[in-house]
Amino acid sequence: MKQHFANLIEEEESNIDMTPMLDVVFIMLIFFIVTASFVKEAGIDVNRPDAATAVQKNRANILVAISDNNEIWINKRQVDVRAVQANIERLYAENPQGSVVIQADEESNTRVLIKVMDAARSAGVYDVSVATDEE
C-alpha cells in the first residue's frame, strides 16, 4: 500500500501544468495587439515634389494620396472628395494619436490638396502634413 502511494506521488509530481504559461503568452499577445499601431497605406505610388525643408515624420497613421489625375486614395480605395472627411474621422477614431499625411503628386491640383486638408481639419485632426522628397 505504501509503495502504491509512493508511485502515485511520483506520477503526480512528474506532470507539468502548462496552463499558467499559456495564460501569460495569451496575455502578452493581447497586450501587443492592443498597443500596436498599424500603418495604413494610401494605395497608389505618388511622385512627391521636392522640398529643401523636408522633415522626417515618425507617426503617420492616416495616409491620403492624391494622384496626378486628382484621384483621392485612402486605405487602397479610391474615395470621392465628399467622403474624405468621414474616412478620416473613422481612421482617427481608431487611432487618436495618429496624424494625417497627404501624399500629393506633383502634377495634382492645389485645389484638391486644400480640400483634403480642410476635410482633415473638419474631422478634428489638426496635425496635417504634406509628404515631400528631400532635395
Side-chain angles (χ1 to χ4, degrees):
M1 187 77 156
K2 286 184 179 180
Q3 187 177 12
H4 177 68
F5 284 122
N7 288 342
L8 188 63
I9 291 172
E10 285 179 22
E11 286 179 20
E12 202 171 295
E13 289 177 5
S14 67
N15 291 337
I16 297 175
D17 187 14
M18 298 295 284
T19 306
M21 185 184 77
L22 290 174
D23 288 344
V24 169
V25 170
F26 282 125
I27 289 172
M28 288 175 48
L29 178 68
I30 292 169
F31 174 76
F32 287 123
I33 289 173
V34 169
T35 59
S37 63
F38 299 102
V39 176
K40 310 272 188 199
E41 293 185 11
I44 58 172
D45 290 327
V46 174
N47 293 326
R48 295 177 292 198
D50 295 331
T53 59
V55 177
Q56 181 74 27
K57 188 106 171 137
N58 291 332
R59 300 192 72 154
N61 298 93
I62 303 170
L63 297 178
V64 179
I66 303 173
S67 68
D68 56 349
N69 56 352
N70 298 314
E71 295 174 340
I72 301 169
W73 290 76
I74 301 173
N75 278 348
K76 300 179 183 176
R77 291 185 306 117
Q78 186 175 353
V79 176
D80 187 60
V81 70
R82 296 170 297 212
V84 170
Q85 180 178 344
N87 279 280
I88 292 176
E89 283 176 351
R90 181 179 51 81
L91 292 171
Y92 190 65
E94 291 174 7
N95 188 0
Q97 292 85 21
S99 63
V100 173
V101 174
I102 303 170
Q103 300 173 328
D105 194 282
E106 59 189 1
E107 300 296 323
S108 65
N109 289 341
T110 308
R111 175 180 44 85
V112 177
L113 174 66
I114 298 302
K115 284 185 178 182
V116 171
M117 291 177 76
D118 284 343
R121 289 194 178 114
S122 296
V125 183
Y126 296 100
D127 189 6
V128 180
S129 304
V130 177
T132 61
D133 286 328
E134 291 185 50
E135 286 186 341

